[in-house]
Amino acid sequence: MAGVPDARCHSPTHPRGPTLHLAAAPPRRPWHEQEQETPVNKQADAFLVDSSTQPPSEQTAPEAGRARPHESAHLHVAGAAPYIDDLPELVGTLHAALGLSPVAHGVLKAIDVERLKALPGVVAVLTAADIPGPNDCGPIVHDEPILATGHVHYLGQPVFAVIATDRERARRAAAQAKAVLSIDPLPPVLSALEAHAKRQYVLPDMHLVRESAPGALHAALAAAPHRLQGTLSVGGQEQFYLEGQISYACPTENAGLKVHCSTQHPSEMQHLVAHALGWRSNQVQVECRRMGGGFGGKESQSAVFACVASVAAVKLQRPVKLRVDRDDDFLVTGRRHGFEYAWEVGCDDAGRVLAAEVTMVSNAGWSADLSGPVMTRALCHFDNAYWLPEVAMHGHSARTNTQSNTAFRGFGGPQGAIAIEVILDSVARRLGLDPLAVRRANFYGTTSNNVTPYGQQVDDNVIAPLVDTLAASSDYAARRAAVAAYNAASPVLKKGLALTPVKFGISFNVAHFNQAGALVHIYTDGSVLVNHGGTEMGQGLNTKVAQVVAHELGIAFERVRVSATDTHKVANTSATAASTGSDLNGKAAQDAARQLRERLAALAASMHGGMPEAVRFADDRVHVNGANLDFDALVAQAYAARVQLWSDGFYATPGLHWNRETLQGRPFYYFAYGAAVAEVVVDTLSGEHRLLRADLLHDVGRSLNPAVDIGQVEGAFIQGMGWLTSEELVWHPKTGLLMTHAPSTYKIPTANDCPPVFRTALFENNDNVEDSIHRSKAVGEPPLLLPFSVFLAIRDAVSAVGGHRVDPPLRAPATPEAVLDAIDAVRAAR
Amino acid sequence: MSLPAVRFFHRGRVVAVEGASPTRSVLNWLREDARCTGSKEGCNEGDCGACTVVVAELAEHADAVGTTSARATVVGGLSLRTVNSCIQFLPTLHGKALLTVEDLQAIAQGMAVADPGVGTLHPVQQALVDCHGSQCGFCTPGFAMSLAACYERHCEAGSQPTRAELADELSGNLCRCTGYRPILDAGERMFTLPPKRLDTAPIVAALRSLQGQQPGDATAEPAAGFHTPRTLAALAALVESRPQARLLAGSTDIGLWVNKQFRALGEIVYLGDVDELKRIEWQGDTLRIGAGAPLEDAWRALVGVAPALAEVWRRFASLPVRNAGTMGGNVANGSPIGDSAPVLLALDAALLLRRGAQQRRLPLADFYVDYMKNRLAPGEFIEAIELPRPAASTQVRAYKLSKRFDCDISAVCAGLALTLDGETVVQARFAFGGMAAIVKRAAAAEAAVVGQPWTEATVQAAMAALATDYAPLTDMRASAGYRLRASQNLLMRLWLETRPVAPLPTSQTNVWAAA
């Protein structure tokens, strides 16, 4: 049994100890020194955090940095953590279902509402005409009606809503959409390249060009010793949050509304609901205790469900719940943008890129949604970890008659970075070099060659030492030789190996989103409640924020309770997105808790003497001028002394600026780094592959909670692997029906896809150079790029078929068919 | 008792649900009527596992199967099986016990009912907490139930699953957050914690008392229009007299007709209470698999016949689907992408059909007529699947191609049997699913090898001939071109594995066997 600690059973021995293991006894050696164990994918016991000797932090409370379970774990395992559909329903609750367009493009002529109203259990039918305010839920561009009017733009677009006495009847009535809708069909455009050819976009083009002198890019390309070009196709990805989209809207007094919404962005839901109702924001309260996963899919796209439930609830003055069936969730909402690329690079004999030009066409779907920011992030991540002296990037957000694509963990970053990784892989093959050598030759420098194409200096660069550490610990060089030997002797199966790095920018590209608020209450019994603007979707944000508060006040974690995200508590919050949840809300909560600590310290010093700054809070006690008080007692005294025992906190990330027009500035507070090595085996007869081993090394700065962070790294790796391997989206080429519209046809990874050897570690000894919350780094999105290694390992194995002389034209996802196509192409070309 | 009522054991007592719609799902009953919201709806089609529950029945019913395979599920006098509650109809619980995530702490605390989320956790739950096995938590109750069933079975047997076996146990549970590693860790750790076992005695007693309430009744109707015959004769009589009635076994497909297509099923005859139909037994050199035997048991028996079938067994749907679904149902459903038929065709299976008191045998190769059409007469049903013991000189293989290892519908599934005399092929049965409107044998490819030396040239000829056997379709699983190319290549794989000179071990031909 690999030691997996019950963190609660171990009393903390060091405050922010020099080493922190997730694993319990026996004593561990550094993970990279461990002998090869039986190959199982247990947690490498293994990861060390913060092994540098640090002076004790100013507070001795141990919470920040402690590996502890998710604050709701004991509820999750008991089925006792309520999601919105689990909340007791109010008497009189009605249920809504959406009537969806059965055609991908057309003119909406009529809706036979009377026919729907006559169906069993139907209480009301809503169409666009029933929306009191503007019929619009577009998050940035106002091109997205809540319910279709005039035209329908994709198969699955909500056209009407049925409100019925129960969910089953609502669904049955809504399923009559085809019979009640009169639509004159128009020809649909279903692929990004087709839309690009027609110059049909949701937004203006974006061009991010960095040249040493005008015309230098093309001159460098022309003069380069080696010049390569190619294309690449990368599919989209469904979020597949296990809890589908849901909103439950309940009328309250005096033209008010409370909406329970599974959303990453309660404030935006509040604003959009108020907008749809023609109300002011203060009339709408949006609450979310937890989501059953979000991954970006509940950032902007929870809006249609919130708005429809709310309009129905207000119109009928009854509570209305809208929980969509999984198939409808797939048909209505968008997902990660698929990208098409055309690229050209020039490089020297060492594979150093001298100039690069790339055109990226994303499939935006029918409306803008977040496609603009997604493309921006894609352009800002094409460089990944590499210095590109002359570079031009062109981004096109193609308008197609499909679901409107949206945020998904990484938000364009993965789509930008995978292109350069494939390019460097091709460069290495052309030059007959190891791809790792080519990558290293192109890494950003630390003192020179360290400015990104968008003008931000990279001044926290650890990619080279990180990759060195991983290459050593994963035995990359020896395994490269072993793979070659295996392939030489294996007629059918071929192995592949790849190491890929990640550099990911942390912050919203829009500077003003980088703010957060929190409230911390200390009750008179010494218990603490914290509320903040972030949302909990499984990533452990509430756990980390509670740890920050407990740390700041020197009290036990168990004293701190985190309450539901609620627009009536913290106002004007940003989406919990862009990996910023802990950075922003942790800082805001720390600010609130610090103010309380300072008030308590002042009181303690006034009673016991000494300086307030010298008062120390630790282990539920307060140390002041030689005295040692119980935290509860001090709180009671503070109440009696009329000290305010609750506080707000606020945080705005410093130093950010961004020019949307020039695509220049400092959009990111810092960068997170990582790298992964993957080894696969590919069947050259069937195109199947299996991941045999993965070694991950990821930089989270000084981890707030290594257990949570490891969970994020591994989870992102498997999720990103799904994107690049098994998760294929297929639309019917004529009707535009999304044929992969449920887990029966859309295949996310399962337990057997977890590699038999899976070694994950957090990069040691790496403080964040910026003043982030306890010097930690964001971890939600960056590790989603680690499984590029899997895709490129497959490409390496396919390449072996042609003796590594032919560049495999492998598309993503690398399904058996895609792999076999690439193998056949390599065979044909060799 | 004027009204029919569905009676089953739930949370420490027998409940009687009157007036239930025959197609009300167990999950909706749990969440909406019983207000047990621990089990979640993630997909409403039995593919995500968030709704996983355990259904327990008296072991003597499962024991009627007559092979040791069914005993693998027996714990303390009960047979415990995980199923997807979203596609199980409530009346199928009649006479059984329903265990859900709400029961786990009750088990841990030795109580009939405990407050979920409060107090001592079950070892499965504690291990999941200790190993950080939940993130968003939505899938977690389903994982907990799959692990709990695994825990009880292994504790009963005094064994522990390997890590690979644990992954197979979880083939029906999707998690989008963790990447599974910590959940597999939890599956190992749960056996190291102080044991807490299900006390089956009160459940056994309750189920016996329920049984006693229908003495001698060969059929019951726990809900209007929902027949639950208990004997083969009663079933045959019912089906003969009601040829329009819908036969329901595991509802792993029919459940979707209701949940997704809103189809009305009409009168339903439920097969799950006919013990004789679940029997798996050797009759001389013929293996007879009762049509109502769970897929899990039937595949275990097939793997006993031909060990090379083990991979397809592991990959056939998921464990909860194999627990609920039946091989008879898979064959009768007649989907061109069902994985039983190609394997059974390769094994030269026949069907034992029954209408009233009459039986007839029909080779499976003659059963399918066209897409979802078969030769069953009105009032007739499949009683059993029969297959001969393969000759020692016959090599059997089954190859499944899909986008994902676990629980994915095949793009192509091949069942291949080859009999060599020295280096000459004396018999070949090559059957493919996913290649045509029905699962069928590749006559031209077979003809290309029979009587020929088993050489690369011969297999190349068979590969070429395959193009005349099938004209596959393009769909979301694969293109027509891939299906044909890959099928041809699977014949090459067969040759590499069975060639007389230097045959390759599967570790050199199959990524799932490679290390």
Side-chain angles (χ1 to χ4, degrees), chain B residues 369-380:
Chain B
V369 182
D370 201 350
Y371 179 68
M372 305 293 260
K373 283 188 183 149
N374 60 42
R375 293 201 192 278
L376 276 179
E380 193 174 43

Side-chain angles (χ1 to χ4, degrees), chain A residues 76-80, chain B residues 8-12 15 25-31 34-40 49-56 80-86 88 90 93 96-108 111-117 122 124-125 140-149 152 198 203:
Chain A
H76 293 154
V77 298
Chain B
F8 57 99
F9 184 91
H10 179 238
R11 299 198 84 188
V15 295
S25 74
V26 172
L27 181 64
N28 282 344
W29 178 82
L30 274 171
R31 294 182 54 81
R35 289 300 303 161
C36 288
T37 56
S39 306
K40 311 298 183 194
C51 69
T52 304
V53 298
V54 168
V55 171
L80 303 181
R81 291 181 188 271
T82 50
V83 298
N84 299 109
S85 63
C86 70
Q88 290 300 311
L90 190 69
L93 288 182
K96 298 173 187 153
L98 174 63
L99 301 171
T100 69
V101 68
E102 282 86 359
D103 290 303
L104 293 182
Q105 270 165 298
I107 294 169
M111 303 159 71
V113 177
D115 189 356
H122 187 280
V124 168
Q125 298 174 310
T140 312
F143 275 95
M145 293 312 288
S146 286
L147 288 175
E152 285 291 341
L198 173 69
I203 304 176

Side-chain angles (χ1 to χ4, degrees), chain A residues 498 678 680 689 691 717 721 725 786-795:
Chain A
V680 302
H689 82 274
L691 176 62
F717 178 82
M721 180 180 81
T725 58
L786 296 174
F788 290 177
S789 54
V790 177
F791 182 75
L792 291 174
I794 295 171
R795 205 167 184 251

Side-chain angles (χ1 to χ4, degrees), chain A residues 556-716:
Chain A
F557 177 84
E558 289 71 20
R559 281 178 184 254
V560 183
R561 194 174 172 106
V562 184
S563 53
T565 315
D566 183 344
T567 58
H568 270 25
K569 290 190 173 158
V570 175
N572 311 328
T573 59
S574 291
T576 306
S579 308
T580 61
S582 304
D583 281 17
L584 299 178
N585 297 289
K587 274 283 193 183
Q590 184 188 44
D591 179 42
R594 179 171 285 154
Q595 292 179 52
L596 291 168
R597 195 193 65 206
E598 286 169 358
R599 287 176 205 155
L600 290 171
L603 178 72
S606 74
M607 293 190 302
H608 297 274
M611 299 299 292
E613 298 75 31
V615 177
R616 289 163 53 82
F617 292 71
D619 304 327
D620 285 336
R621 303 197 66 80
V622 182
H623 306 269
V624 47
N625 199 29
N628 186 337
L629 310 177
D630 191 59
F631 182 81
D632 295 352
L634 179 61
V635 165
Q637 286 164 351
Y639 175 71
R642 295 187 286 180
V643 172
Q644 186 185 342
L645 282 172
W646 57 271
S647 176
D648 65 322
F650 186 74
Y651 177 71
T653 314
L656 304 179
H657 55 93
W658 180 244
N659 185 325
R660 283 174 56 177
E661 307 306 318
T662 60
L663 301 176
Q664 295 290 312
R666 186 197 178 191
F668 305 124
Y669 191 36
Y670 59 86
F671 296 98
Y673 299 87
V677 178
E679 181 176 339
V680 302
V681 58
V682 166
D683 180 348
T684 59
L685 290 176
S686 68
E688 296 166 286
H689 82 274
R690 186 159 74 106
L691 176 62
L692 297 171
R693 175 172 167 180
D695 295 63
L696 317 182
L697 183 59
H698 199 76
D699 156 36
V700 295
R702 214 189 290 189
S703 176
L704 280 175
N705 180 330
V708 164
D709 285 348
I710 283 285
Q712 289 295 295
V713 172
E714 291 180 337

Side-chain angles (χ1 to χ4, degrees), chain A residues 138-400:
Chain A
I140 301 171
V141 181
H142 299 292
D143 61 349
E144 193 164 339
I146 299 163
L147 294 173
T149 176
H151 285 71
V152 291
H153 298 282
Y154 69 102
L155 198 161
Q157 183 173 7
V159 181
F160 62 89
V162 176
I163 323 299
T165 50
D166 61 66
R167 184 168 175 271
E168 168 94 6
R169 286 169 156 166
R171 286 185 62 218
R172 283 175 180 268
Q176 297 298 312
K178 200 169 188 174
V180 302
L181 294 177
S182 304
I183 299 172
D184 286 348
L186 295 169
V189 173
L190 298 173
S191 81
L193 288 180
E194 184 186 353
H196 184 49
K198 292 181 171 356
R199 304 207 60 74
Q200 182 178 302
Y201 306 113
V202 295
L203 291 163
D205 297 347
M206 295 182 194
H207 300 279
L208 175 48
V209 179
R210 186 255 304 274
E211 289 183 296
S212 54
L217 170 75
H218 288 114
L221 277 176
H226 306 279
R227 196 169 173 178
L228 291 74
Q229 53 188 15
T231 60
L232 174 67
S233 178
V234 175
Q237 185 182 24
E238 164 64 31
Q239 286 87 5
F240 205 82
Y241 27 68
L242 262 286
E243 178 209 32
Q245 300 273 2
I246 180 169
S247 276
Y248 183 28
C250 308
T252 58
E253 65 174 47
N254 193 20
L257 190 68
K258 178 166 186 177
V259 187
H260 298 275
C261 179
S262 183
T263 183
Q264 296 169 241
H265 203 344
S267 281
E268 185 165 282
M269 297 307 110
Q270 177 195 25
H271 299 153
L272 290 171
V273 165
H275 188 61
L277 290 168
W279 285 5
R280 306 300 302 260
S281 290
N282 65 3
Q283 293 171 268
V284 179
Q285 177 184 9
V286 175
E287 183 181 307
C288 180
R289 170 62 182 92
R290 62 170 62 78
M291 283 165 273
F295 313 113
K298 295 172 180 171
E299 186 174 338
S300 63
Q301 300 218 349
S302 39
V304 67
F305 311 99
C307 289
V308 167
S310 297
V311 168
V314 170
K315 182 184 170 81
L316 300 170
Q317 283 300 298
R318 296 269 293 269
V320 174
K321 188 193 279 187
L322 172 49
R323 173 168 74 83
V324 281
D325 188 75
R326 178 63 63 178
D327 293 48
D328 288 354
D329 199 312
F330 266 81
L331 288 180
V332 172
T333 67
R335 44 195 69 81
R336 184 187 301 286
H337 296 64
F339 269 58
E340 304 288 338
Y341 311 80
W343 55 267
E344 179 163 21
V345 294
C347 60
D348 65 15
D349 292 337
R352 267 188 291 268
V353 173
L354 305 171
E357 182 161 25
V358 64
T359 297
M360 307 188 199
V361 182
S362 72
N363 182 357
W366 71 283
S367 71
D369 189 81
L370 302 173
S371 295
V374 165
M375 183 57 81
T376 303
R377 190 166 275 268
L379 299 182
C380 291
H381 282 78
F382 174 69
D383 61 331
N384 196 16
Y386 309 110
W387 161 245
L388 304 175
E390 314 283 347
V391 60
M393 297 170 259
H394 314 287
H396 306 272
S397 303
R399 181 159 53 81
T400 62

Side-chain angles (χ1 to χ4, degrees), chain A residues 1 4-6 8 22 40-43 68-70 73-81 83 85-88 167-168 171-172 175 237-240 242-243 291-293 295 323 325-327 408 486 491-493 495 537-538 681-686 688-690 692 707 710-712 714-716 718-719 726-728 730 739-740 742-754 758 815-817 820-821 824, chain B residues 28 31 35 37-38 40-45 47-48 50 101-102 104-105 116-117 121 125-126 128-132 134-141 144 163-164 167-168 170-171 173-182 184-185 188-189 192 258-260 262-263 314-315 400-409 475-479 482 485-486 489-490 492-493 496 504 506-515:
Chain A
M1 180 67 219
V4 181
D6 180 355
R8 296 169 310 163
L22 241 200
V40 291
N41 61 353
K42 282 172 197 166
Q43 175 59 53
R68 63 163 59 252
H70 193 285
H74 64 296
L75 303 176
H76 293 154
V77 298
Y83 304 81
D85 197 45
D86 302 335
L87 300 175
R167 184 168 175 271
E168 168 94 6
R171 286 185 62 218
R172 283 175 180 268
Q237 185 182 24
E238 164 64 31
Q239 286 87 5
F240 205 82
L242 262 286
E243 178 209 32
M291 283 165 273
F295 313 113
R323 173 168 74 83
D325 188 75
R326 178 63 63 178
D327 293 48
F408 189 151
Y486 176 94
V492 177
L493 305 184
K495 287 187 178 179
M537 59 194 109
V681 58
V682 166
D683 180 348
T684 59
L685 290 176
S686 68
E688 296 166 286
H689 82 274
R690 186 159 74 106
L692 297 171
I710 283 285
Q712 289 295 295
E714 291 180 337
I718 297 294
Q719 192 175 75
S726 63
E727 297 183 34
E728 187 174 34
V730 181
M739 295 161 74
T740 47
S744 51
T745 44
Y746 184 78
K747 309 313 282 188
I748 72 168
T750 64
N752 267 311
D753 296 313
C754 185
F758 196 14
T815 59
E817 177 162 357
L820 192 62
D821 283 349
D824 287 349
Chain B
N28 282 344
R31 294 182 54 81
R35 289 300 303 161
T37 56
K40 311 298 183 194
E41 181 189 304
C43 71
N44 205 18
E45 62 174 4
D47 260 283
C48 79
V101 68
E102 282 86 359
L104 293 182
Q105 270 165 298
L121 295 172
Q125 298 174 310
Q126 189 62 51
L128 281 166
V129 171
D130 293 349
C131 299
H132 312 283
S134 72
Q135 287 185 23
C136 86
F138 197 83
C139 69
T140 312
R163 207 164 170 92
D168 288 343
L170 300 174
S171 58
N173 293 92
L174 298 179
C175 168
R176 193 52 152 167
C177 297
T178 63
Y180 301 98
R181 191 275 308 159
L184 294 168
D185 280 358
E188 294 185 323
R189 181 174 171 83
T192 69
V258 174
N259 290 356
K260 301 292 182 176
F262 307 115
R263 276 166 69 175
R314 290 172 67 204
R315 300 181 64 185
K400 177 181 169 97
L401 299 181
S402 57
K403 293 178 194 172
R404 187 174 73 190
F405 180 85
D406 284 324
C407 191
D408 193 1
I409 290 169
D475 67 9
M476 66 285 207
R477 297 194 176 88
S479 70
Y482 174 77
R485 266 184 302 154
N489 288 352
L490 291 179
M492 174 58 76
R493 185 197 280 183
L496 290 168
L504 296 179
T506 53
S507 62
Q508 290 189 39
T509 58
N510 186 325
V511 295
W512 313 115

